[in-house]
Amino acid sequence: MTRAEQFDELVLDAVERLERRWPRLAEVELAVEEVPPADTEHWSEEAVPLGRVIADRPGEPVRIVVYRRPVEARAAGRPELADLVYEVVVEQVAELLGMEPDEVDEGRDADD
């Protein structure tokens, strides 16, 4: 598998873990993009966002997007990458549900 395919698998694994608790996620589209678009300053507080929820598309499903290259750049190795991907997905699900990340994943440390 390529690095991109391995990353896709990590994102799918993260969502599958969360779907057990949040069945609504089955209705959410999942996407992995290489990098965020250039206009991120209008919709993110981060200099380079790691993910995004897109819910303002009339007639289309909500989409969670994870940006592969910025996430990979912040991880030192595969175990850390898997943890970071999961954290990014949890944060996006929390935004989608209007909750705090530690409410979405009760096993998550509130200080993360």
Side-chain angles (χ1 to χ4, degrees), residues 68-83:
R68 184 173 74 86
R69 297 227 178 187
V71 173
E72 286 179 332
R74 287 168 177 77
R78 177 118 175 126
E80 189 176 315
L81 179 60
D83 290 345

Side-chain angles (χ1 to χ4, degrees), residues 27-55:
E27 301 169 13
V28 174
E29 264 187 18
L30 190 62
V32 174
E33 294 181 8
E34 292 295 306
V35 294
D39 67 343
T40 60
E41 69 274 1
H42 300 294
W43 49 265
S44 177
E45 296 174 8
E46 297 179 63
V48 178
L50 304 180
R52 177 179 182 195
V53 173
I54 303 172

Side-chain angles (χ1 to χ4, degrees), residues 2 11 14 20 22-23 27 33 63 75 86 90 92 102 106:
T2 66
V11 173
R20 291 182 206 122
W22 305 103
E27 301 169 13
E33 294 181 8
R63 176 182 286 175
Y86 184 70
V90 166
Q92 300 314 307
D102 60 321
E106 290 180 346

Side-chain angles (χ1 to χ4, degrees), residues 12-28:
L12 288 173
D13 290 346
V15 171
E16 286 174 3
R17 284 174 58 187
L18 292 170
E19 276 183 345
R20 291 182 206 122
R21 181 155 188 232
W22 305 103
R24 174 181 174 202
L25 294 179
E27 301 169 13
V28 174

